[in-house]
Amino acid sequence: TQASAEYFMTIEEVKAQESEIIGKSLRISGAVLGDSIDYNPDTLTIHFTVAHVTGDNKEIEAKGGLAKVLHDAVRDDSTPRLDVVYQGPMPDLLQDEAQAIMTGHIDSDGVFYADELLLKCPTKYEEAVPEQSEG
């Protein structure tokens, strides 16, 4: 069972350990950069880039919620990024600032090859963190 274990990692963690995790099964989360999406309908291949998003829910809440954190990650050019390749039909939710949760592996070329792709649209989660009442 050890060989099938998956690790949830942020983009920062992937970049820090890249040489040690090549070929290992990983689960990664990041914010989709909409301008980077390149879909080839003939080969059903999608190339896109994701930006680092913290995995700490308390930090996400402190920064204004998931939609704001995803937005900020995509807009900040200094945020660590990772190129992704996914083979399959174009998902409707693959768009700018969506949260991508992917399972796959990093190859020696530094690209993450996703076998599974789950997407969450940020606008559906804007109210996910209720505003705190004053008083």
Side-chain angles (χ1 to χ4, degrees):
T1 59
Q2 191 68 14
S4 65
E6 291 182 340
Y7 307 93
F8 177 84
M9 301 181 80
T10 65
I11 305 302
E12 279 184 352
E13 292 168 335
V14 169
K15 291 294 187 181
Q17 302 175 39
E18 192 168 324
S19 62
E20 302 155 28
I21 58 176
I22 290 173
K24 292 184 179 179
S25 181
L26 306 170
R27 183 172 292 141
I28 296 176
S29 176
V32 175
L33 280 72
D35 292 345
S36 72
I37 299 169
D38 180 24
Y39 177 58
N40 183 330
D42 296 330
T43 62
L44 296 180
T45 304
I46 307 168
H47 293 109
F48 62 98
T49 302
V50 291
H52 170 78
V53 174
T54 181
D56 184 339
N57 286 332
K58 288 182 181 177
E59 188 177 338
I60 290 170
E61 286 180 32
K63 290 183 174 182
L66 184 58
K68 179 155 179 20
V69 168
L70 291 169
H71 174 80
D72 292 347
V74 167
R75 299 296 171 250
D76 183 353
D77 290 336
S78 68
T79 302
R81 296 174 178 199
L82 183 65
D83 291 328
V84 178
V85 173
Y86 176 72
Q87 194 81 32
M90 179 69 161
D92 290 339
L93 292 179
L94 184 61
Q95 57 187 285
D96 194 41
E97 300 181 16
Q99 180 184 20
I101 302 167
M102 305 160 290
T103 304
H105 71 279
I106 294 259
D107 210 342
S108 57
D109 60 5
V111 174
F112 185 78
Y113 291 88
D115 300 318
E116 295 178 11
L117 176 61
L118 173 68
L119 297 154
K120 295 181 179 179
C121 183
T123 56
K124 293 184 179 185
Y125 300 97
E126 283 178 355
E127 300 301 322
V129 180
E131 298 209 16
Q132 297 196 357
S133 60
E134 305 219 5

